[in-house]
Amino acid sequence: MSDDDKTRADRRTILKFAGLGMGAAAMPLAAQQTDPIPQPGAAPVPAPPAPPSGHDMAAHAAKPAQSAGDAPRLGYIFLDAEEAAFVEAFVDTIIPADEYSPKGSELGVATFVDRQLYSAWGQGRNMYLQGPFQEGTPEQGYQMSLAPADMVRLGIADLNAWARKTYADNSFDTVTDAQRVEIVTALEANKITLDAVPTPLFFNMLYQLTTDGFFADPLHGGNRGKASWTMLGYPGVGEMFADKIAEWRGKPFRVDDPQSILDLS
Amino acid sequence: MPTKLPPVDVVIVGSGWTGGIVAKELASTGLKILMLERGKFQDTNPDFIAPQSHDALKYSRRLDLAQDLSKETITFRNDRGQTALPMRQYGFFIPGSGVGGSGAHWSGLTWRWGEWEHRMLSGTVEKYGRSLIPEDMTIQDWPISYKDIEPYYDRFEKVCGVSGKAGNLRGKIQAGGNPFEARRQNEFPLPPMTPTQSMTMFEGATKKLGYHPFPIPASNCSTDYVNPDGVALGACHYCGHCTNYGCEANAKASPHFTMIPLARANTGFELRTNAMVLKVNLDSTGKKATGVTYADARGREFEQPADLVIVSAFVMGNVQLMLHSGIGKPYDPQTGEGVVGRNYAYQSLGGARVEVPRDVFMNPFMGAGALGMWIDDFASNNFDFAKAGYIGGAGISAGQNSGDPLTYRPTTPGSPRWGAGWKKGMVEAYQHTMSVGFQGAVMSYRQNYMDLDPTYRDHWGRPLLRLTFDWQSNEQKVMAATFAHCQRIAGEISGKAPATATPGRAMAGRRFNSVPYQTSHNTGGAVFGDDPRTSAVNKYMQSWDVPNVFVLGASALPQNAARNPTGPVGALAFWAADAIREKYLKRPGRLV
């Protein structure tokens, strides 16, 4: 067992004993903020844009943007300890730490998933969930009676049961990184059969939630420090480009710190 | 038992473009007008104020301005042999709700349709004979000509502050505009929007190939503007939050600030929100409407008497309300008889993704809903149908709408969907990708229609509307041919074959898939015409059977063009409002 694996196993034990969804609180929050990625073949990154004009909301930015290390500690609302450990492991597999960004759980992506599942949307508030239920054709789309939160909960239990059978009583969060990649690869390819939820539905739901948590405004709990926006060079939601669109046509427009809704409100 | 309310002169169902236009146009009559909107009240301030209005998760993913599907949706099937099943979550179109309707969250592409598109049947037969028209194709001419509607297109453009460049000004072809455009009396009210890098590359490539690029007519104002009604529209910020969002600058024209406040100038006007109209009530003869029944937020039902009923509840809502109320004969696909639900049509989309050189930066976040360049060389009847072997064609364009990475994050070809390689692929592609897309016309067919579902019900116990639709071979040919044109243009831009491409959802052998979002451009179901056997409403959008009911919106269009329908929908609403004010109110009864 590598050190990493040992840490993970220990953490899971702690979670089990505590019986509390404290996954995020137990995690060291991202200390390292990656520098903006220089674009290959790009002209030097330009200086920050000129002072904001009339309708530029950057003018309203009163306080400095949060860095990842400033993020508040948030507990889980919907996910229980085992589910939280699963989701953290899953988002770290989809979004590993590398030169481009910290890993998913350090960016609050698991917190984001938790909040979305607990939200009205997660509970199926906007879905038509009246019966009768029947499968239909692929062109007719989703026909199950499950809200997103139900689907994720059932799918996690199923996949963990499968993992325990396949990986010597290890659940998804206690197998090695390489084994997780193996499992997610098989899951994506629909090579694992789950009991309650069709595999593609479960994978796509969790995948969508994870990527949404990586890219959505930090307002929603993920994308801490606007890491994904910095990674891509997306300037955030505060920029107005009416006076910049012609000037920067074809040239790399970048800002040092993208603006999120949180920065501007 | 519903509570009976004091009568009004006019009740308007829905507060989108068409309802808004009629409400505003009738304000000067001083009549007592009640507008019923199923959704919530909303106005630019405070509902669409930045930065909250730029929340991509809330508006683009969770579709906060859309209809509540838990209460009402449609059922769908590809053909009559299948059991239709409910659209349980948002699918191929996004129905708007709340004040302004879909007009609050649209992108702003504001077309006039071409002359041929107002007479697709006779225009095609005159030039090519009947042989191009399959037996099951039920296209028909508009009951009015382009010339009749031209002044109303002009009015709608001026209301919206459409930014663009005329291509055919009083018969003279204009440089920089669309040379295929139908003759127009006036230039666009505002100059075109500022082009992006992707637009200039598309323009260069299509010109080189001998085509005729021009800026898309956009209801995203290129400058500050005061419309003829005295309504101030702001200049577009190019903030990239248009489609599915409300606009904080009032740069994207919407009925909630252009029409509704002017309707309110009539002290007899009332807007009642959270009011879901369940039925248009008819008297014992079935030939006269007595008002409507609606449910409020608590589910209490009210009977609202009215002398005149304007149904303006989007395509699906209009057809559903007619069917629930017994207005007009329901369409029967077996006999071909009946008119309500007949001639449903859609549009088809596809395109090619283009990798641009790494020293060219696209800044995809500098965008707007209708910001783009377009060619009409393969649309309408601007090319040889007989040679192509199909009717309709498609527009081809490159635009820049939103670069918010929640919804826009291309990857380099061959990248995995997750993990380190995925992140690298996104970082490399985000600034160096564009696409060449198409939007194809869809004809009407005997087998594509709407009726009431036998099984599934809405929140109020009414049968859901059932849609039966599939691609037909004419449309599959349009898609295949247009995709090839897109690939050629993409190749010209990048200097190499496009790396990834979507060959359109309508390629041969593929059925229409209702799952992914495609476009909200539904048309038909209550089409207008001169013959009561093939149209539900006359040329003024007045029900043939119940003359004190007018049904407005894209439900009137007998088939779909390769262009967004909001321009025709707005123009026809002004046309109908004129007829109601100048003709109907003076002498209530059948106008035709």
Side-chain angles (χ1 to χ4, degrees), chain B residues 241-572:
Chain B
H241 296 86
C242 256
T243 309
N244 293 323
Y245 301 86
C247 176
E248 76 264 21
N250 281 352
K252 180 177 71 173
S254 166
H256 80 263
F257 73 87
T258 57
M259 295 297 156
I260 304 299
L262 296 171
R264 284 180 145 172
N266 171 7
T267 51
F269 176 84
E270 188 195 345
L271 167 65
R272 212 169 282 166
T273 51
N274 299 303
M276 175 71 200
V277 175
L278 303 173
K279 196 178 178 185
V280 178
N281 302 313
L282 305 182
D283 72 3
S284 57
T285 68
K287 301 283 177 203
K288 187 175 179 235
T290 58
V292 301
T293 297
Y294 73 91
D296 73 359
R298 285 169 60 181
R300 294 177 297 195
E301 290 190 13
F302 297 89
E303 187 188 332
Q304 176 61 62
D307 293 331
L308 175 61
V309 177
I310 309 296
V311 179
S312 46
F314 198 72
V315 175
M316 275 68 179
N318 287 355
V319 175
Q320 189 180 24
L321 211 44
M322 290 179 86
L323 291 170
H324 283 153
S325 310
I327 298 172
K329 190 177 172 193
Y331 174 67
D332 179 342
Q334 271 176 300
T335 61
E337 286 170 13
V339 290
V340 183
R342 182 178 178 275
N343 274 33
Y344 171 83
Y346 193 52
Q347 281 176 333
S348 51
L349 304 177
R353 184 179 289 175
V354 190
E355 283 179 275
V356 301
R358 290 292 163 83
D359 60 348
V360 177
F361 289 74
M362 309 310 281
N363 296 324
F365 34 81
M366 301 185 185
L371 184 59
M373 294 292 285
W374 185 284
I375 59 166
D376 257 349
D377 297 79
F378 303 102
S380 197
N381 65 337
N382 306 334
F383 60 104
D384 190 338
F385 276 171
K387 213 169 139 193
Y390 57 75
I391 304 172
I396 298 175
S397 66
Q400 203 152 296
N401 183 337
S402 174
D404 191 313
L406 191 72
T407 53
Y408 179 80
R409 40 167 201 272
T411 49
T412 46
S415 299
R417 275 180 80 202
W418 47 275
W422 169 62
K423 289 161 74 176
K424 182 168 184 283
M426 282 188 291
V427 168
E428 288 175 356
Y430 184 67
Q431 273 284 20
H432 309 288
T433 304
M434 62 174 277
S435 53
V436 174
F438 66 77
Q439 177 168 309
V442 170
M443 301 298 107
S444 299
Y445 296 87
R446 189 168 172 161
Q447 59 273 29
N448 288 340
Y449 68 103
M450 295 180 280
D451 63 355
L452 292 180
D453 192 273
T455 308
Y456 293 96
R457 303 206 160 237
D458 68 15
H459 178 73
W460 301 274
R462 306 177 308 165
L464 295 183
L465 191 73
R466 174 170 68 177
L467 173 64
T468 305
F469 178 76
D470 208 350
W471 301 126
Q472 309 298 323
S473 96
N474 183 75
E475 282 60 45
Q476 290 177 329
K477 286 182 205 161
V478 172
M479 293 307 102
T482 314
F483 175 55
H485 295 311
C486 289
Q487 282 187 304
R488 198 167 310 124
I489 296 165
E492 183 65 38
I493 292 171
S494 66
K496 55 184 180 179
T500 52
T502 318
R505 301 194 188 279
M507 293 297 274
R510 286 174 70 175
R511 307 202 82 170
F512 172 71
N513 187 339
S514 75
V515 179
Y517 178 75
Q518 288 149 71
T519 165
S520 297
H521 306 158
N522 299 280
T523 55
V527 311
F528 73 153
D530 284 330
D531 185 346
R533 287 170 306 178
T534 54
S535 57
V537 294
N538 67 25
K539 66 177 173 180
Y540 300 113
M541 263 67 68
Q542 179 184 37
S543 161
W544 290 110
D545 301 280
V546 185
N548 64 335
V549 172
F550 286 71
V551 184
L552 272 58
S555 54
L557 303 174
Q559 58 274 324
N560 215 338
R563 269 171 272 202
N564 309 50
T566 309
V569 164
L572 285 174

Side-chain angles (χ1 to χ4, degrees), chain B residues 157-272:
Chain B
E157 286 169 355
K158 290 195 163 90
V159 159
C160 294
V162 178
S163 306
K165 177 77 194 89
N168 179 351
L169 199 52
R170 295 182 283 275
K172 278 206 175 122
I173 300 303
Q174 307 289 307
N178 177 9
F180 301 109
E181 187 180 50
R183 182 190 177 100
R184 37 190 309 137
Q185 286 304 306
N186 295 303
E187 185 43 280
F188 284 97
L190 295 179
M193 302 184 76
T194 310
T196 62
Q197 177 67 24
S198 55
M199 288 161 68
T200 58
M201 291 177 90
F202 177 85
E203 185 181 23
T206 49
K207 272 189 180 159
K208 211 169 153 196
L209 290 166
Y211 309 143
H212 303 86
F214 61 94
I216 291 173
S219 286
N220 314 140
C221 292
S222 56
T223 67
D224 289 336
Y225 174 69
V226 178
N227 81 10
D229 297 320
V231 175
L233 288 81
C236 176
H237 294 169
Y238 299 80
C239 72
H241 296 86
C242 256
T243 309
N244 293 323
Y245 301 86
C247 176
E248 76 264 21
N250 281 352
K252 180 177 71 173
S254 166
H256 80 263
F257 73 87
T258 57
M259 295 297 156
I260 304 299
L262 296 171
R264 284 180 145 172
N266 171 7
T267 51
F269 176 84
E270 188 195 345
L271 167 65
R272 212 169 282 166

